[in-house]
Amino acid sequence: MSTYLICSAYKVEQLPKTNLPNIVLTGRSNVGKSTLINKLIGRKQLARTSNKPGKTISINFYNYKDMIIFVDLPGYGFAHRSKSTVLTWKNLVETFFNKNDNLELFLLLIDVRIGVKDKDLELFYYLEQFNKDIIPILTKTDKVNKNYVNKQIDQTSAIINLSPNKIKHFSHKDPKSMVEIWNTINKALQRD
């Protein structure tokens, strides 16, 4: 069983039809979604990473061993795009959410150095309507010390009103963080 990019959907009609559970990664531009996907699927460059915010302008669907579809949403916050492009994205993402029976888990990525911002909170409340687990993941934790990570976990917990043990952290240099995230994904899949 292989892992591959199913498609990059720029328009509603390009959204793929699959019966596999969807694990959705979302967050600000340049938060590390592509890096996390590459680590989860064990492929270095399948999801393209960039230092330039707003690089992902499509919804990207990755088939993981015919068991899971990892869905990489466009980032928000920094992308300098026209109003018509932003409206197209909005329609694409809302259609994906509202016409998808396979949503299983949301991974809300938050840069540990920036913390939870209003847009993250808005998205968290929006995702709650789908009655699926939402797991905040603090990214780029290799760029700060462990005490700072713990402090950000506590702050995130207080802002989102979620137990601290529900909040995960991710560093591409720390294999233990990947084990935690995979455990979270497997628990969500086993509940069905």
Side-chain angles (χ1 to χ4, degrees), residues 16-184:
K17 291 182 171 67
T18 71
N19 292 320
L20 296 173
N22 287 193
I23 309 292
V24 180
L25 288 86
T26 187
R28 294 174 69 82
S29 295
N30 210 28
V31 75
K33 293 186 299 296
S34 298
T35 301
L36 179 54
I37 286 174
N38 285 331
K39 280 292 187 181
L40 286 167
I41 62 181
R43 298 267 304 270
K44 283 188 179 176
Q45 289 297 321
L46 186 60
R48 291 192 185 142
T49 60
S50 171
N51 291 326
K52 186 178 177 187
K55 194 74 173 170
T56 302
I57 59 171
S58 57
I59 301 180
N60 298 313
F61 296 82
Y62 300 91
N63 181 315
Y64 177 72
K65 299 182 178 181
D66 291 329
M67 296 187 301
I68 297 170
I69 305 293
F70 285 109
V71 183
D72 182 10
L73 294 185
Y76 52 85
F78 297 120
H80 298 292
R81 304 284 174 177
S82 67
K83 283 185 180 176
S84 64
T85 300
V86 172
L87 281 173
T88 301
W89 284 349
K90 188 172 187 285
N91 182 43
L92 177 64
V93 171
E94 286 180 355
T95 302
F96 166 71
F97 281 138
N98 292 313
K99 304 219 170 172
N100 188 331
D101 296 327
N102 299 304
L103 294 173
E104 201 59 55
L105 177 68
F106 297 106
L107 304 180
L108 173 58
L109 278 59
I110 300 163
D111 189 323
V112 72
R113 301 164 304 173
I114 297 171
V116 179
K117 297 296 181 192
D118 289 346
K119 290 265 185 203
D120 302 310
L121 209 49
E122 282 172 32
L123 181 60
F124 184 85
Y125 293 139
Y126 173 76
L127 296 177
E128 282 188 317
Q129 72 182 293
F130 299 103
N131 296 315
K132 301 294 178 184
D133 281 348
I134 307 164
I135 306 299
I137 300 177
L138 300 177
T139 63
K140 306 190 180 186
T141 56
D142 51 290
K143 299 183 184 295
V144 295
N145 66 43
K146 190 170 169 101
N147 287 338
Y148 187 83
V149 173
N150 291 334
K151 181 179 162 195
Q152 285 297 87
I153 287 173
D154 289 341
Q155 283 186 354
T156 303
S157 166
I159 293 168
I160 294 181
N161 194 23
L162 209 59
S163 168
N165 64 0
K166 284 272 208 175
I167 296 158
K168 305 303 173 192
H169 58 86
F170 166 65
S171 161
H172 69 280
K173 296 178 180 177
D174 178 12
K176 192 175 168 190
S177 68
M178 288 309 306
V179 172
E180 284 277 315
I181 293 168
W182 264 118
N183 286 343
T184 300

